[in-house]
Amino acid sequence: MKTIEEINQHNVKKILTEKKIPDFFPGDVIKVGVRITEGKKDRIQYFEGVCIARKNRDINSSFTVRKISFGEGVERTFPLYGTVIDTITVIRHGKVRRAKLYYLRDRTGKSARIAEKIRKKIGIEVDVKPEVVTEETLAPVAVELEKQTEVQSAPEKQPEVQAEPKIEKTEEKKIIFFQCL
């Protein structure tokens, strides 16, 4: 017999396969696409603001977004896995040290701003696992390289030339170095 938690977790997995929800945290500026039904027509209305709270409770997860509209603060709480939400887009990552940003309700103007968290992109995907080089994965490549060298050397028999080892004179480098000073 399944418990309520197991049923909720199964439903969350089912919803996540259909819809992509990005990772966002309190302090992030997000744009939420909300489905609005007017009569028989459906449309999407966007609500953009700062995420001031997030509640993680399986299927009952929700988040609160706050924006200033015509000089008045407007907050709206959305269910994270609800059918009302069409898309969630992260516009900017905020640099905050709290989980709930309710103190922003009392602030206006410059004091209500949140600093941006700079995330460096170094070109390495975190999700992608690097390929482990073993003898089995390396052997087919080595065999192909040997075949290519045999094919290239077979029509034209070139004499093998051995390269002389380079001998660097450290005394000359020292003299040049001291002359530069």
Side-chain angles (χ1 to χ4, degrees):
M1 184 164 205
K2 292 186 176 181
T3 62
I4 295 173
E5 290 87 15
E6 290 174 352
I7 294 170
N8 287 343
Q9 289 174 355
H10 176 70
N11 288 337
V12 167
K13 288 179 185 176
K14 183 179 173 184
I15 292 169
L16 286 176
T17 57
E18 298 170 4
K19 168 165 65 167
K20 184 183 176 195
I21 298 174
D23 289 334
F24 65 94
F25 304 96
D28 293 352
V29 177
I30 58 176
K31 188 176 187 179
V32 183
V34 184
R35 285 194 188 107
I36 293 179
T37 306
E38 295 174 340
K40 295 180 181 178
K41 294 183 179 180
D42 283 341
R43 66 182 179 90
I44 297 172
Q45 183 177 14
Y46 291 98
F47 191 88
E48 183 175 343
V50 178
C51 177
I52 62 168
R54 184 163 175 181
K55 182 175 79 168
N56 293 317
R57 307 259 191 308
D58 284 335
I59 197 78
N60 298 323
S61 298
S62 64
F63 60 98
T64 304
V65 181
R66 178 180 175 81
K67 75 174 184 176
I68 305 296
S69 180
F70 298 103
E72 202 62 36
V74 179
E75 288 184 11
R76 191 163 175 191
T77 302
F78 298 101
L80 187 62
Y81 302 110
T83 57
V84 176
I85 293 181
D86 184 51
T87 58
I88 300 173
T89 309
V90 178
I91 306 295
R92 207 177 72 157
H93 294 284
K95 187 176 181 182
V96 294
R97 298 174 72 178
R98 295 183 181 202
K100 307 286 192 244
L101 305 178
Y102 297 136
Y103 66 91
L104 291 177
R105 292 173 176 164
D106 300 331
R107 298 190 179 187
T108 57
K110 286 187 177 182
S111 64
R113 289 187 300 180
I114 295 174
E116 185 174 1
K117 183 189 291 184
I118 308 294
R119 294 189 178 194
K120 294 183 181 178
K121 294 182 181 178
I122 56 174
I124 299 173
E125 293 292 330
V126 179
D127 297 338
V128 179
K129 294 181 181 177
E131 185 178 337
V132 179
V133 179
T134 60
E135 289 184 20
E136 294 114 18
T137 58
L138 188 60
V141 175
V143 171
E144 290 177 12
L145 288 175
E146 287 177 11
K147 288 180 182 178
Q148 289 178 356
T149 55
E150 288 175 7
V151 170
Q152 290 176 356
S153 62
E156 303 172 0
K157 300 228 175 177
Q158 299 175 350
E160 294 182 19
V161 179
Q162 293 181 354
E164 295 179 13
K166 275 190 172 179
I167 300 172
E168 296 183 13
K169 298 179 181 177
T170 56
E171 294 175 9
E172 290 180 13
K173 287 185 179 180
K174 287 180 185 176
I175 292 170
I176 294 170
F177 177 74
F178 287 116
Q179 288 176 353
C180 292
L181 292 176

PDB file of all heavy atoms in Angstrom, residues 100-116:
ATOM      1  N   LYS A 100      13.816  33.748   3.235  1.00  0.00           N
ATOM      2  CA  LYS A 100      12.589  34.514   3.053  1.00  0.00           C
ATOM      3  C   LYS A 100      12.947  35.999   3.067  1.00  0.00           C
ATOM      4  O   LYS A 100      13.592  36.486   3.989  1.00  0.00           O
ATOM      5  CB  LYS A 100      11.592  34.235   4.195  1.00  0.00           C
ATOM      6  CG  LYS A 100      11.303  32.761   4.415  1.00  0.00           C
ATOM      7  CD  LYS A 100      10.417  32.208   3.342  1.00  0.00           C
ATOM      8  CE  LYS A 100       9.919  30.843   3.733  1.00  0.00           C
ATOM      9  NZ  LYS A 100      10.351  29.779   2.879  1.00  0.00           N
ATOM     10  N   LEU A 101      12.528  36.712   2.042  1.00  0.00           N
ATOM     11  CA  LEU A 101      12.887  38.121   1.886  1.00  0.00           C
ATOM     12  C   LEU A 101      11.703  39.031   2.184  1.00  0.00           C
ATOM     13  O   LEU A 101      11.411  39.959   1.435  1.00  0.00           O
ATOM     14  CB  LEU A 101      13.403  38.363   0.463  1.00  0.00           C
ATOM     15  CG  LEU A 101      14.558  37.476   0.014  1.00  0.00           C
ATOM     16  CD1 LEU A 101      14.927  37.778  -1.418  1.00  0.00           C
ATOM     17  CD2 LEU A 101      15.749  37.630   0.919  1.00  0.00           C
ATOM     18  N   TYR A 102      11.040  38.778   3.293  1.00  0.00           N
ATOM     19  CA  TYR A 102       9.864  39.568   3.643  1.00  0.00           C
ATOM     20  C   TYR A 102      10.227  41.003   4.016  1.00  0.00           C
ATOM     21  O   TYR A 102       9.360  41.878   4.018  1.00  0.00           O
ATOM     22  CB  TYR A 102       9.099  38.916   4.794  1.00  0.00           C
ATOM     23  CG  TYR A 102       8.541  37.554   4.447  1.00  0.00           C
ATOM     24  CD1 TYR A 102       8.642  36.499   5.333  1.00  0.00           C
ATOM     25  CD2 TYR A 102       7.912  37.326   3.230  1.00  0.00           C
ATOM     26  CE1 TYR A 102       8.132  35.241   5.024  1.00  0.00           C
ATOM     27  CE2 TYR A 102       7.397  36.091   2.908  1.00  0.00           C
ATOM     28  CZ  TYR A 102       7.516  35.051   3.808  1.00  0.00           C
ATOM     29  OH  TYR A 102       7.003  33.822   3.489  1.00  0.00           O
ATOM     30  N   TYR A 103      11.484  41.265   4.331  1.00  0.00           N
ATOM     31  CA  TYR A 103      11.894  42.622   4.688  1.00  0.00           C
ATOM     32  C   TYR A 103      11.788  43.577   3.501  1.00  0.00           C
ATOM     33  O   TYR A 103      11.770  44.791   3.674  1.00  0.00           O
ATOM     34  CB  TYR A 103      13.318  42.640   5.259  1.00  0.00           C
ATOM     35  CG  TYR A 103      14.392  42.270   4.275  1.00  0.00           C
ATOM     36  CD1 TYR A 103      15.021  43.247   3.513  1.00  0.00           C
ATOM     37  CD2 TYR A 103      14.796  40.961   4.111  1.00  0.00           C
ATOM     38  CE1 TYR A 103      16.013  42.926   2.609  1.00  0.00           C
ATOM     39  CE2 TYR A 103      15.796  40.631   3.209  1.00  0.00           C
ATOM     40  CZ  TYR A 103      16.404  41.619   2.469  1.00  0.00           C
ATOM     41  OH  TYR A 103      17.391  41.296   1.571  1.00  0.00           O
ATOM     42  N   LEU A 104      11.693  43.049   2.281  1.00  0.00           N
ATOM     43  CA  LEU A 104      11.555  43.907   1.102  1.00  0.00           C
ATOM     44  C   LEU A 104      10.194  44.608   1.066  1.00  0.00           C
ATOM     45  O   LEU A 104      10.029  45.596   0.352  1.00  0.00           O
ATOM     46  CB  LEU A 104      11.741  43.098  -0.183  1.00  0.00           C
ATOM     47  CG  LEU A 104      13.153  42.579  -0.453  1.00  0.00           C
ATOM     48  CD1 LEU A 104      13.161  41.738  -1.713  1.00  0.00           C
ATOM     49  CD2 LEU A 104      14.130  43.728  -0.585  1.00  0.00           C
ATOM     50  N   ARG A 105       9.230  44.120   1.843  1.00  0.00           N
ATOM     51  CA  ARG A 105       7.899  44.730   1.858  1.00  0.00           C
ATOM     52  C   ARG A 105       7.946  46.151   2.418  1.00  0.00           C
ATOM     53  O   ARG A 105       7.187  47.014   2.011  1.00  0.00           O
ATOM     54  CB  ARG A 105       6.954  43.896   2.706  1.00  0.00           C
ATOM     55  CG  ARG A 105       6.645  42.559   2.100  1.00  0.00           C
ATOM     56  CD  ARG A 105       5.850  41.713   3.049  1.00  0.00           C
ATOM     57  NE  ARG A 105       5.469  40.447   2.436  1.00  0.00           N
ATOM     58  CZ  ARG A 105       5.030  39.402   3.112  1.00  0.00           C
ATOM     59  NH1 ARG A 105       4.901  39.467   4.424  1.00  0.00           N
ATOM     60  NH2 ARG A 105       4.716  38.294   2.484  1.00  0.00           N
ATOM     61  N   ASP A 106       8.849  46.375   3.363  1.00  0.00           N
ATOM     62  CA  ASP A 106       8.933  47.686   4.004  1.00  0.00           C
ATOM     63  C   ASP A 106       9.818  48.659   3.235  1.00  0.00           C
ATOM     64  O   ASP A 106       9.840  49.840   3.548  1.00  0.00           O
ATOM     65  CB  ASP A 106       9.491  47.539   5.427  1.00  0.00           C
ATOM     66  CG  ASP A 106       8.615  46.647   6.289  1.00  0.00           C
ATOM     67  OD1 ASP A 106       7.393  46.615   6.023  1.00  0.00           O
ATOM     68  OD2 ASP A 106       9.145  45.979   7.193  1.00  0.00           O
ATOM     69  N   ARG A 107      10.567  48.167   2.273  1.00  0.00           N
ATOM     70  CA  ARG A 107      11.536  49.020   1.594  1.00  0.00           C
ATOM     71  C   ARG A 107      11.032  49.477   0.231  1.00  0.00           C
ATOM     72  O   ARG A 107      10.289  48.767  -0.435  1.00  0.00           O
ATOM     73  CB  ARG A 107      12.851  48.267   1.410  1.00  0.00           C
ATOM     74  CG  ARG A 107      13.471  47.893   2.737  1.00  0.00           C
ATOM     75  CD  ARG A 107      14.849  47.395   2.525  1.00  0.00           C
ATOM     76  NE  ARG A 107      15.459  47.064   3.817  1.00  0.00           N
ATOM     77  CZ  ARG A 107      16.701  46.722   3.953  1.00  0.00           C
ATOM     78  NH1 ARG A 107      17.483  46.640   2.900  1.00  0.00           N
ATOM     79  NH2 ARG A 107      17.188  46.443   5.138  1.00  0.00           N
ATOM     80  N   THR A 108      11.495  50.653  -0.158  1.00  0.00           N
ATOM     81  CA  THR A 108      11.167  51.178  -1.480  1.00  0.00           C
ATOM     82  C   THR A 108      12.427  51.790  -2.083  1.00  0.00           C
ATOM     83  O   THR A 108      13.374  52.115  -1.357  1.00  0.00           O
ATOM     84  CB  THR A 108      10.079  52.265  -1.406  1.00  0.00           C
ATOM     85  OG1 THR A 108      10.535  53.308  -0.542  1.00  0.00           O
ATOM     86  CG2 THR A 108       8.761  51.706  -0.908  1.00  0.00           C
ATOM     87  N   GLY A 109      12.433  51.948  -3.379  1.00  0.00           N
ATOM     88  CA  GLY A 109      13.539  52.621  -4.062  1.00  0.00           C
ATOM     89  C   GLY A 109      14.816  51.816  -4.068  1.00  0.00           C
ATOM     90  O   GLY A 109      14.812  50.602  -4.256  1.00  0.00           O
ATOM     91  N   LYS A 110      15.943  52.529  -3.836  1.00  0.00           N
ATOM     92  CA  LYS A 110      17.247  51.886  -3.936  1.00  0.00           C
ATOM     93  C   LYS A 110      17.488  50.857  -2.832  1.00  0.00           C
ATOM     94  O   LYS A 110      18.213  49.888  -3.031  1.00  0.00           O
ATOM     95  CB  LYS A 110      18.361  52.931  -3.881  1.00  0.00           C
ATOM     96  CG  LYS A 110      18.501  53.727  -5.149  1.00  0.00           C
ATOM     97  CD  LYS A 110      19.721  54.611  -5.070  1.00  0.00           C
ATOM     98  CE  LYS A 110      19.921  55.355  -6.372  1.00  0.00           C
ATOM     99  NZ  LYS A 110      21.131  56.183  -6.319  1.00  0.00           N
ATOM    100  N   SER A 111      16.892  51.054  -1.677  1.00  0.00           N
ATOM    101  CA  SER A 111      17.116  50.118  -0.574  1.00  0.00           C
ATOM    102  C   SER A 111      16.436  48.771  -0.828  1.00  0.00           C
ATOM    103  O   SER A 111      16.753  47.784  -0.170  1.00  0.00           O
ATOM    104  CB  SER A 111      16.624  50.703   0.740  1.00  0.00           C
ATOM    105  OG  SER A 111      15.227  50.902   0.701  1.00  0.00           O
ATOM    106  N   ALA A 112      15.518  48.713  -1.787  1.00  0.00           N
ATOM    107  CA  ALA A 112      14.824  47.463  -2.098  1.00  0.00           C
ATOM    108  C   ALA A 112      15.532  46.668  -3.182  1.00  0.00           C
ATOM    109  O   ALA A 112      15.056  45.612  -3.576  1.00  0.00           O
ATOM    110  CB  ALA A 112      13.393  47.764  -2.531  1.00  0.00           C
ATOM    111  N   ARG A 113      16.670  47.188  -3.667  1.00  0.00           N
ATOM    112  CA  ARG A 113      17.381  46.471  -4.719  1.00  0.00           C
ATOM    113  C   ARG A 113      18.177  45.301  -4.156  1.00  0.00           C
ATOM    114  O   ARG A 113      18.629  45.339  -3.013  1.00  0.00           O
ATOM    115  CB  ARG A 113      18.337  47.405  -5.460  1.00  0.00           C
ATOM    116  CG  ARG A 113      17.608  48.398  -6.327  1.00  0.00           C
ATOM    117  CD  ARG A 113      18.555  49.174  -7.168  1.00  0.00           C
ATOM    118  NE  ARG A 113      19.498  49.911  -6.309  1.00  0.00           N
ATOM    119  CZ  ARG A 113      20.462  50.686  -6.762  1.00  0.00           C
ATOM    120  NH1 ARG A 113      20.629  50.818  -8.060  1.00  0.00           N
ATOM    121  NH2 ARG A 113      21.251  51.324  -5.947  1.00  0.00           N
ATOM    122  N   ILE A 114      18.389  44.292  -4.987  1.00  0.00           N
ATOM    123  CA  ILE A 114      19.175  43.116  -4.622  1.00  0.00           C
ATOM    124  C   ILE A 114      20.343  43.026  -5.588  1.00  0.00           C
ATOM    125  O   ILE A 114      20.173  43.142  -6.807  1.00  0.00           O
ATOM    126  CB  ILE A 114      18.321  41.834  -4.702  1.00  0.00           C
ATOM    127  CG1 ILE A 114      17.207  41.907  -3.661  1.00  0.00           C
ATOM    128  CG2 ILE A 114      19.162  40.599  -4.477  1.00  0.00           C
ATOM    129  CD1 ILE A 114      16.226  40.780  -3.732  1.00  0.00           C
ATOM    130  N   ALA A 115      21.539  42.804  -5.044  1.00  0.00           N
ATOM    131  CA  ALA A 115      22.739  42.692  -5.882  1.00  0.00           C
ATOM    132  C   ALA A 115      22.664  41.437  -6.731  1.00  0.00           C
ATOM    133  O   ALA A 115      22.064  40.430  -6.343  1.00  0.00           O
ATOM    134  CB  ALA A 115      23.993  42.657  -5.008  1.00  0.00           C
ATOM    135  N   GLU A 116      23.283  41.495  -7.901  1.00  0.00           N
ATOM    136  CA  GLU A 116      23.254  40.362  -8.817  1.00  0.00           C
ATOM    137  C   GLU A 116      24.398  39.409  -8.521  1.00  0.00           C
ATOM    138  O   GLU A 116      25.524  39.826  -8.277  1.00  0.00           O
ATOM    139  CB  GLU A 116      23.352  40.845 -10.266  1.00  0.00           C
ATOM    140  CG  GLU A 116      23.212  39.730 -11.271  1.00  0.00           C
ATOM    141  CD  GLU A 116      23.167  40.231 -12.700  1.00  0.00           C
ATOM    142  OE1 GLU A 116      23.272  41.444 -12.918  1.00  0.00           O
ATOM    143  OE2 GLU A 116      23.021  39.390 -13.598  1.00  0.00           O
TER     144      GLU A 116
END
